[in-house]
Amino acid sequence: MSERFTGSFTQQEPIPDEGIEAALRVMQSGRLHRYNLVGDEPGEVALLEQEFAAFTGAKYCLAVASGGYAIATALRALGVGPGDKVLTNAFTLAPVPGAIAALGAVPVFVGVTPSLTIDLEDLAAQAGQGDVLLLSHMRGHICDMDRLMAVCDAAGVKVVEDCAHTMGASWNGVPSGRHGVLAAYSTQTYKHMNSGEGGLLITDDEELAARAVMLSGSYMLYERHLAAPAPEVFERVKYETPNISGRMDHLRAALLRPQLRALPGQVARWNERYRAIEQGLRDTPGLALIERPEAETYVGSSFQFLLPGWSATAVQNVIRRCAARGVELKWFGAAEPKGFTSRYDSWRYAPSAPMPATDRVLAGLLDMRVPLTFSLEDCALIARIIRAEVGAVYQSVA
């Protein structure tokens, strides 16, 4: 009898007891707004910002309502506006080009390699088209950041890192988010810390940090921040920076602070599961794994593999057969958006020309979440199911 997986790909672990207790204290106080404080108490949000800045090694941190808001705030702080061109990955999720388009700016798409990272040759060729690169470390894959920064520095391009999938990861020992001038993180339910929705923004640039705080809606209460520049920096920007309210509240910060302390251990657990799936799929005929560079320290909260050169019908057959056995695979090569998957040519608010090399990668790209509610045995079972169904379809079309 064929094995079947009965777990849920959307079930996350519960919030730690410490976070639940802290959230209850916030609710009992009635003071959820980040600036609704008593006396000199710092509040959960300011403490989270201080702790996340220390975690990443950044000077400044701002907690906001979502990862998408963090990205848009980073772009606004840099002065991106209507008509400006912003370089970004062709392989990413819709909130990335959406943040650019929401400012009236124009995404300029850069191709993806079979390693699922931005094509640095294509980036070098297009670098003169914009002053900003919004770099998405899509699905947790980090490119050669040393080479990328060399390309961008030579072209005068400022880098904003979208680290929604790389919180806790690094390149050559440098934490993800510490190469660019600004970095945005997400604490949405499926990310590495879970507050339902939420975002964090870091930078070492005092003026960008001050602008971001003002943009988030500080109402001139910026002195209540612990991970922000000195008051005199705000004096330079406070009258010319609009309020676009998107603050994080104390309730979500209370949920996140214990998760931040536990994050290194959680990263290790995710990577154990990632490696169990990887081991089970290695050397499967017709299937290509994404080999991780030695310089990359990743967080294996999702898993991707390629069916290179396969027809759309054959890929869909694999998806259907795996689903029948309880394994949910998402396909970034589908012609129509489905769930969170979409392609650069699906974002019709952003002009794009055909990208044949990128299309070939996306045509065979399959993706799945790896929640920590999966055991190592679950991961081994999932790999056996995928291996068997890929093999069955491959034999029928080979």
Side-chain angles (χ1 to χ4, degrees), residues 160-211:
V160 176
E161 294 182 65
D162 165 28
C163 302
H165 304 156
T166 54
M167 184 188 291
S170 64
W171 179 265
N172 267 336
V174 178
S176 181
R178 298 296 290 128
H179 288 87
V181 67
L182 289 145
Y185 303 79
S186 172
T187 62
Q188 185 248 31
T189 286
Y190 298 119
K191 304 306 189 293
H192 300 158
M193 299 196 301
N194 175 14
S195 60
E197 286 287 358
L200 294 153
L201 185 64
I202 63 168
T203 184
D204 281 353
D205 186 296
E206 62 180 20
E207 189 154 313
L208 292 176
R211 288 179 190 167

Side-chain angles (χ1 to χ4, degrees), residues 329-380:
L329 299 175
K330 306 296 183 183
W331 183 31
F332 280 95
E336 291 295 325
K338 186 175 181 181
F340 62 81
T341 60
S342 57
R343 304 189 320 198
Y344 67 93
D345 53 2
S346 302
W347 307 319
R348 295 175 188 173
Y349 50 80
S352 64
M355 304 179 72
T358 291
D359 292 341
R360 284 192 294 273
V361 174
L362 299 182
L365 174 56
L366 293 174
D367 169 273
M368 67 179 179
R369 294 190 178 105
V370 185
L372 289 175
T373 49
F374 288 0
S375 68
L376 295 179
E377 292 75 17
D378 289 335
C379 293

Side-chain angles (χ1 to χ4, degrees), residues 250-262:
H250 290 310
L251 184 58
R252 282 184 280 184
L255 299 176
L256 289 170
R257 291 179 62 209
Q259 294 181 63
L260 178 58
R261 290 190 285 274

Side-chain angles (χ1 to χ4, degrees), residues 57-376:
K59 289 182 180 179
Y60 311 115
C61 177
L62 174 68
V64 294
S66 72
Y69 183 91
I71 292 171
T73 300
L75 296 177
R76 283 191 174 99
L78 283 169
V80 173
D84 292 340
K85 291 185 176 181
V86 177
L87 299 155
T88 195
N89 309 48
F91 172 48
T92 186
L93 296 182
V96 174
I100 298 170
L103 300 181
V106 181
V108 176
F109 294 116
V110 181
V112 65
T113 72
S115 297
L116 304 189
T117 56
I118 192 168
D119 185 330
L120 296 179
E121 297 294 335
D122 192 24
L123 175 63
Q126 298 200 67
Q129 293 200 50
D131 297 327
V132 175
L133 166 65
L134 175 50
L135 172 66
S136 176
H137 299 302
M138 178 61 173
R139 304 313 272 165
H141 296 273
I142 303 177
C143 73
D144 183 336
M145 291 301 297
D146 301 315
R147 186 177 165 205
L148 178 137
M149 292 306 301
V151 169
C152 290
D153 288 346
V157 173
K158 294 183 174 65
V159 177
V160 176
E161 294 182 65
D162 165 28
C163 302
H165 304 156
T166 54
M167 184 188 291
S170 64
W171 179 265
N172 267 336
V174 178
S176 181
R178 298 296 290 128
H179 288 87
V181 67
L182 289 145
Y185 303 79
S186 172
T187 62
Q188 185 248 31
T189 286
Y190 298 119
K191 304 306 189 293
H192 300 158
M193 299 196 301
N194 175 14
S195 60
E197 286 287 358
L200 294 153
L201 185 64
I202 63 168
T203 184
D204 281 353
D205 186 296
E206 62 180 20
E207 189 154 313
L208 292 176
R211 288 179 190 167
V213 170
M214 297 302 299
L215 285 161
S216 73
S218 68
Y219 294 103
M220 306 301 173
L221 299 172
Y222 45 79
E223 291 190 41
R224 298 189 185 182
H225 288 245
L226 298 178
E232 56 266 25
V233 184
F234 287 91
E235 292 295 322
R236 301 199 297 265
V237 303
K238 69 181 185 180
Y239 294 119
E240 61 186 37
T241 307
N243 179 327
I244 307 173
S245 294
R247 298 165 298 272
M248 183 179 284
D249 56 77
H250 290 310
L251 184 58
R252 282 184 280 184
L255 299 176
L256 289 170
R257 291 179 62 209
Q259 294 181 63
L260 178 58
R261 290 190 285 274
L263 185 57
Q266 298 291 76
V267 169
R269 294 178 62 214
W270 261 307
N271 289 350
E272 286 178 332
R273 285 148 181 78
Y274 185 97
R275 286 190 289 269
I277 297 169
E278 184 179 53
Q279 181 179 353
L281 291 179
R282 190 166 293 284
D283 299 324
T284 300
L287 181 151
L289 294 173
I290 313 301
E291 302 296 344
R292 312 300 296 234
E294 185 177 347
E296 178 192 34
T297 300
Y298 59 89
V299 184
S301 57
S302 66
F303 194 94
Q304 296 74 44
F305 61 89
L306 296 170
L307 300 178
W310 287 45
S311 70
T313 300
V315 173
Q316 290 171 317
N317 200 10
V318 169
I319 295 168
R320 179 184 59 78
R321 292 172 67 107
C322 286
R325 297 179 64 180
V327 174
E328 298 176 13
L329 299 175
K330 306 296 183 183
W331 183 31
F332 280 95
E336 291 295 325
K338 186 175 181 181
F340 62 81
T341 60
S342 57
R343 304 189 320 198
Y344 67 93
D345 53 2
S346 302
W347 307 319
R348 295 175 188 173
Y349 50 80
S352 64
M355 304 179 72
T358 291
D359 292 341
R360 284 192 294 273
V361 174
L362 299 182
L365 174 56
L366 293 174
D367 169 273
M368 67 179 179
R369 294 190 178 105
V370 185
L372 289 175
T373 49
F374 288 0
S375 68
L376 295 179

Side-chain angles (χ1 to χ4, degrees), residues 8-29:
S8 170
F9 282 79
T10 61
Q11 182 59 59
Q12 307 303 304
E13 290 192 306
I15 299 298
D17 288 345
E18 185 182 353
I20 294 172
E21 292 165 3
L24 282 172
R25 288 194 296 270
V26 169
M27 288 189 287
Q28 288 163 351
S29 77

